[in-house]
Amino acid sequence: MKKYVFLLDALNLLNKVVNEGRRVEGVLFRDESTGNLTFKPYHRRGLHKMPDRLIARLEHGWVKESTERIKVYESIPKVIGTTRVMTVLEREGKEVKNALIDRELIEFM
């Protein structure tokens, strides 16, 4: 038994298959007016997220800048004890502040 599938925007679909890869996402449905099987490709836009920019690398983490946020990551081993963890957090907090000040100074020069 042969089934015919009607392709909406067939030339554009063929270009996508040939140029971009072997798969095209879409929906296969039975057309209500004609009763034929029809394939309609999705026209999705790719994700265009800018990568985060590294401001400073810290002893136990980093400081990065995205388009909307300043991100600080810290990962300190528990083995060193609570008092030393608190000391490291204070010291690296000062380093983060200094890195942000340096970034501002460099941008305005």
Side-chain angles (χ1 to χ4, degrees):
M1 175 180 6
K2 289 185 179 182
K3 290 285 183 179
Y4 292 98
V5 177
F6 292 96
L7 303 174
L8 299 178
D9 199 10
L11 291 176
N12 192 11
L13 181 66
L14 182 63
N15 285 335
K16 279 187 178 184
V17 170
V18 171
N19 296 332
E20 296 176 14
R22 294 181 292 169
R23 294 183 183 192
V24 175
E25 293 181 340
V27 61
L28 184 65
F29 63 97
R30 182 176 296 275
D31 192 8
E32 292 178 4
S33 60
T34 61
N36 295 329
L37 279 177
T38 307
F39 178 77
K40 180 179 177 183
Y42 295 145
H43 299 289
R44 294 187 176 162
R45 291 184 0 192
L47 217 71
H48 299 291
K49 181 182 172 190
M50 296 295 293
D52 295 342
R53 189 173 65 99
L54 182 69
I55 295 174
R57 185 168 299 282
L58 306 173
E59 182 180 351
H60 296 285
W62 44 254
V63 182
K64 290 184 179 182
E65 176 184 23
S66 71
T67 55
E68 297 179 2
R69 300 180 182 271
I70 300 292
K71 300 176 182 180
V72 179
Y73 174 74
E74 293 284 331
S75 179
I76 304 167
K78 287 191 209 177
V79 178
I80 64 174
T82 305
T83 55
R84 288 185 61 197
V85 167
M86 291 170 44
T87 305
V88 169
L89 283 173
E90 287 179 23
R91 183 181 71 237
E92 293 206 356
K94 290 178 185 176
E95 288 182 30
V96 168
K97 292 176 188 176
N98 289 334
L100 291 175
I101 290 171
D102 291 344
R103 179 185 62 94
E104 289 291 323
L105 291 174
I106 290 171
E107 281 184 4
F108 288 118
M109 287 189 164

